[in-house]
Amino acid sequence: MSAQDHQLLHPKYRPDIDGLRAIAVLSVVGFHAFGVKGGYAGVDIFFVISGFLISTIIFQSLDASSFSFVEFYQRRIRRIFPSLLLVLSACLIFGWLALFADEYQELGKHVVAGASFISNLILWGESGYFDLAAEKKPLLHLWSLGIEEQFYIFWPLVIWILWRHRNHFLWVIAAIGCISFGLNLWIVGFDSVAAFYSPLTRFWELLIGSIVAYLLLFKKESIEVIRKFSNTYSLIGLLLVALSIAFLSKDLAFPGWWALIPVSGAALLICAAPGSVVGEKVLSNPILVWFGLISFPLYLWHWPLLAFVRVLSGHSRWLINSAVVLAIFLAWLSYRYIERPIRQNRKLKSIFLISGMLCVALLAFAIYSFGGIPSRINDGQGGELANQYRSQLEWPESLNRNSECIEKYGADQYCLVGDSNLPPTAALIGDSHANHFYIGLNEHVKKSGGNLILLGAGGCPPFFEMDRVTKPPAPNLNCYQRNARPFKFVMDSPHIKTVFLAFRHNLTLEDDFIFRDRLGEIQSVDNRQNTIDALTRTIKTLESRGKRVVLIYDMPELNFDIKRCALKRPHFSSQTTCALNQVEAISDFDGYNYVIGAVERSTNVKIFDTRPYVKNNFPVDGRGNLNYRDSTHLSQHGSMFFADKYGQVGQ
């Protein structure tokens, strides 16, 4: 459909807004595919546009005394469901053909979340260290759609209630927006993930669009100043949008104050673009308008395609480029042959679209419930080889989070105890790199007549009184809260004589790991020094309580996920054996070695050094056993390999 055809159907159609939509979606695609620095701000531009358009529809209907909740939500369903249904269904089909069971199970969970418009809440709550990497979650981008739909549920009712008080209406909208913005500023300071995904901290962006809509419709005299200087204000708006895309960084505490840049730019463009040079010559450019018309299906398609490319082949540049081209083509097909016909067909009952979405959600829930349906996978040899490797790759996560253990000892994720009828005599504290040592270490402690307890949380190193600040799309970990009770239990327990500590060696040294010391003592700008200080304080605190402390030296990480050579993806050719020269360890221990050396010199800590046992053939031994289960974690076999090695440091 051309812009002219669209304008015939919508007399108040503004091509400049479609041009702004195009800038938003192309910046997001650029961020995800090509590393455009602040391209993620395109979502904030979308929020302003959505708030403006939805509020305009509601305001006009209420002013004409013709507003209907049923009609409003039917229009939303016809607008959103067709392309979303198509993309969710395509993801499930492709996942059936290409994904391992754990990946397909995760996809099933996110399809349910996407179909019920709660993706932002699910992503907000995901804190497991074993969750798939963010860039490999095919439906990660639906968090923004969740926020918009949650706004659509809340906002029409609020407007309808307040409409009779027109004299104070604008002030009430502004007050609600200020509360949301204030929450954003407050929460981003201590939980940036919550600020990123929470609807309460994002609604102000849509409300800015609502305020613009109200001003344009009912306070026209108040925007005459802007219209008189439309070229200047539209140029400022375009500059703000460009600056946000070019210079904002994912390392910022976003949204916070920073979100004002793209939001203000979008609001100025919506106000001033009509009649301005920017509006007529830039935003109304036919190419931008075309991308604006397909912006919604393009947003839906681009991320799953990029995620599947990264799952299957890593970061192949030509495949990523091809995925972007394919996303544009699929977006046009979706708009031309599915989205537009359904939107124009008012005879189509919304119940059919709702039923379709419910069916997809139920199917996805079944996939999740049945563990990703591992029976789909066949290695071409009767499944024997795949089953052999799969059994080695499985990790008894079901043993973790034992309710009795959690209630008794306080850990909320990793909580295992050798004999629940006896008091623990030794404790292992740490993140998933402590968890993967547990099976072998438990055997050692048990043979020595002791009883080992594992306490910890994914992504949380075992540092006393220490928290970490995460940045989206990293999960919200709440490390201080999750480690506080386990540390208290271990320090107060007279039976626990030995405490083992273990954590991912490069986690705390990375730039995006931000320390927050509850005692105010550790606040260097150098993460290496922070790690030394935090680990030293933890060890000395444990030693002051009479504990013997052993630090387990971390394992090297591999150059790729061992599943890629151990298992064959369904319907995709893949290697079914692991060649030793293809599984290599990454040597990045310089910073970690410096930390361990400094801590060893200033405390009485004992080091269990894994390095003498990790030879070139360790990832896959000479008998074909897998000692890793992914690129960073030991398998059960690998964990048991060390069971008879801990004797060098005792219990």
Side-chain angles (χ1 to χ4, degrees):
M1 179 189 290
S2 67
Q4 290 81 4
D5 293 336
H6 198 86
Q7 193 163 3
L8 290 174
L9 290 173
H10 304 274
K12 295 184 179 180
Y13 167 69
R14 286 178 50 179
D16 60 291
I17 289 184
D18 266 330
L20 187 57
R21 271 192 178 125
I23 291 174
V25 74
L26 292 176
S27 66
V28 172
V29 173
F31 173 70
H32 288 151
F34 308 115
V36 175
K37 194 172 182 182
Y40 62 86
V43 173
D44 303 88
I45 298 170
F46 270 130
F47 284 159
V48 179
I49 296 172
S50 296
F52 170 76
L53 294 176
I54 290 302
S55 297
T56 297
I57 293 170
I58 299 173
F59 291 155
Q60 288 177 329
S61 299
L62 285 170
D63 194 50
S65 300
S66 61
F67 178 73
S68 165
F69 284 101
V70 173
E71 182 181 352
F72 173 81
Y73 289 115
Q74 285 179 339
R75 290 180 66 173
R76 290 294 87 210
I77 290 168
R78 287 197 298 269
R79 172 74 175 94
I80 292 169
F81 277 36
S83 290
L84 181 60
L85 261 173
L86 179 64
V87 170
L88 294 179
S89 301
C91 286
L92 288 179
I93 293 171
F94 188 81
W96 176 277
L97 299 174
L99 298 184
F100 293 133
D102 60 332
E103 297 167 337
Y104 200 40
Q105 182 182 35
E106 184 87 350
L107 177 63
K109 177 176 69 173
H110 287 146
V111 168
V112 173
S116 52
F117 303 104
I118 57 171
S119 291
N120 58 315
L121 304 180
I122 295 298
L123 291 165
W124 178 4
E126 284 182 349
S127 59
Y129 194 73
F130 289 100
D131 289 338
L132 297 177
E135 66 176 12
K136 295 181 180 180
K137 292 183 179 182
L139 299 175
L140 179 76
H141 64 322
L142 295 187
W143 71 268
S144 62
L145 188 60
I147 286 177
E148 287 195 8
E149 294 308 303
Q150 290 151 24
F151 179 79
Y152 297 157
I153 293 172
F154 148 83
W155 190 233
L157 181 61
V158 171
I159 295 177
W160 181 77
I161 292 172
L162 296 176
W163 194 250
R164 67 191 67 182
H165 306 291
R166 293 284 293 278
N167 291 336
H168 306 291
F169 187 81
L170 193 59
W171 291 107
V172 174
I173 298 177
I176 296 173
C178 287
I179 292 171
S180 175
F181 183 68
L183 285 172
N184 152 54
L185 295 181
W186 175 50
I187 294 175
V188 79
F190 64 88
D191 192 345
S192 60
V193 176
F196 192 87
Y197 287 127
S198 172
L200 297 179
T201 57
R202 289 289 196 164
F203 278 176
W204 68 272
E205 301 183 43
L206 292 107
L207 289 172
I208 291 291
S210 298
I211 291 172
V212 171
Y214 192 86
L215 290 174
L216 288 175
L217 287 172
F218 305 115
K219 300 288 183 179
K220 295 183 179 180
E221 69 282 356
S222 65
I223 63 165
E224 283 303 316
V225 175
I226 294 178
R227 287 291 170 83
K228 284 180 181 178
F229 302 98
S230 60
N231 285 330
T232 300
Y233 284 115
S234 61
L235 188 60
I236 293 172
L238 186 63
L239 181 62
L240 289 173
V241 167
L243 287 173
S244 66
I245 294 170
F247 295 108
L248 290 182
S249 166
K250 63 182 180 180
D251 295 328
L252 299 172
F254 199 87
W257 289 101
W258 297 105
L260 282 174
I261 301 175
V263 168
S264 300
L268 280 174
L269 285 172
I270 294 172
C271 283
S276 70
V277 173
V278 169
E280 293 180 354
K281 302 298 183 182
V282 179
L283 298 181
S284 297
N285 178 284
I287 296 176
L288 280 183
V289 170
W290 184 81
F291 273 105
L293 292 174
I294 67 166
S295 59
F296 180 60
L298 177 55
Y299 182 80
L300 292 181
W301 277 114
H302 86 282
W303 181 251
L305 292 173
L306 291 173
F308 283 131
V309 164
R310 286 161 178 154
V311 166
L312 297 178
S313 62
H315 292 78
S316 168
R317 175 44 56 189
W318 80 268
L319 282 177
I320 288 175
N321 294 342
S322 300
V324 171
V325 173
L326 179 59
I328 294 171
F329 178 64
L330 291 175
W332 175 77
L333 288 178
S334 302
Y335 172 77
R336 176 67 178 81
Y337 295 105
I338 295 177
E339 184 177 298
R340 193 180 74 179
I342 289 177
R343 286 169 64 184
Q344 294 175 353
N345 183 4
R346 294 186 176 275
K347 293 182 180 180
L348 178 67
K349 300 298 184 182
S350 299
I351 190 64
F352 293 120
L353 293 172
I354 295 174
S355 299
M357 191 68 76
L358 181 61
C359 288
V360 167
L362 289 174
L363 176 60
F365 183 74
I367 291 168
Y368 175 75
S369 299
F370 288 100
I373 315 180
S375 58
R376 299 171 295 116
I377 302 173
N378 191 327
D379 62 359
Q381 302 181 41
E384 295 176 5
L385 183 60
N387 288 333
Q388 172 193 337
Y389 281 135
R390 191 173 296 112
S391 65
Q392 295 181 30
L393 293 169
E394 290 176 350
W395 187 258
E397 290 296 327
S398 59
L399 297 179
N400 287 328
R401 305 174 71 99
N402 178 278
S403 58
E404 180 183 350
C405 184
I406 292 170
E407 182 179 349
K408 195 171 182 180
Y409 305 115
D412 71 342
Q413 185 173 8
Y414 302 136
C415 198
L416 293 169
V417 62
D419 189 337
S420 59
N421 296 316
L422 298 175
T425 60
L428 171 61
I429 309 177
D431 58 17
S432 63
H433 284 228
N435 183 43
H436 74 179
F437 283 118
Y438 177 79
I439 293 177
L441 185 59
N442 183 51
E443 285 298 308
H444 163 71
V445 173
K446 188 166 56 176
K447 287 180 181 178
S448 304
N451 189 25
L452 178 67
I453 185 171
L454 165 68
L455 301 169
C460 294
F463 296 162
F464 179 67
E465 292 289 343
M466 185 66 68
D467 207 349
R468 65 175 294 193
V469 180
T470 55
K471 297 173 181 175
N476 180 19
L477 300 176
N478 298 318
C479 290
Y480 167 74
Q481 295 176 355
R482 303 172 80 188
N483 279 335
R485 283 186 63 196
F487 265 115
K488 185 178 188 307
F489 167 76
V490 169
M491 289 190 293
D492 291 347
S493 172
H495 302 284
I496 294 178
K497 306 299 183 184
T498 302
V499 178
F500 296 90
L501 304 177
F503 61 98
R504 189 176 182 182
H505 70 276
N506 55 12
L507 174 67
T508 63
L509 304 179
E510 296 172 351
D511 291 339
D512 60 356
F513 190 103
I514 303 176
F515 290 79
R516 173 170 288 148
D517 180 18
R518 294 282 173 156
L519 302 180
E521 302 167 344
I522 300 170
Q523 46 191 337
S524 170
V525 295
D526 179 8
N527 270 9
R528 187 166 62 175
Q529 187 60 48
N530 284 332
T531 303
I532 293 170
D533 292 343
L535 193 53
T536 299
R537 184 175 70 189
T538 301
I539 293 169
K540 286 185 174 180
T541 301
L542 289 168
E543 289 175 343
S544 70
R545 298 295 186 95
K547 312 300 180 184
R548 176 172 174 267
V549 183
V550 178
L551 179 64
I552 302 178
Y553 196 92
D554 193 29
M555 300 295 297
E557 300 185 2
L558 307 183
N559 57 344
F560 65 94
D561 190 336
I562 206 165
K563 289 197 295 290
R564 289 177 56 190
C565 67
L567 295 177
K568 179 180 179 180
R569 289 188 179 276
H571 304 284
F572 277 78
S573 61
S574 176
Q575 208 171 308
T576 55
T577 57
C578 289
L580 299 183
N581 62 356
Q582 293 182 335
V583 185
E584 300 174 354
I586 301 171
S587 179
D588 58 354
F589 277 75
D590 290 347
Y592 181 74
N593 290 336
Y594 181 87
V595 168
I596 299 303
V599 171
E600 196 172 12
R601 287 190 296 271
S602 60
T603 68
N604 295 317
V605 69
K606 304 296 182 183
I607 307 295
F608 173 67
D609 196 343
T610 60
R611 287 174 293 181
Y613 307 105
V614 181
K615 308 299 182 183
N616 291 334
N617 66 340
F618 181 80
V620 186
D621 69 20
R623 295 181 295 278
N625 295 308
L626 305 181
N627 285 324
Y628 280 77
R629 66 179 185 274
D630 51 32
S631 61
T632 66
H633 297 99
L634 291 172
S635 66
Q636 295 185 59
H637 187 274
S639 186
M640 281 299 297
F641 171 84
F642 290 103
D644 59 353
K645 312 293 190 301
Y646 293 108
Q648 63 171 274
V649 293
Q651 183 178 331

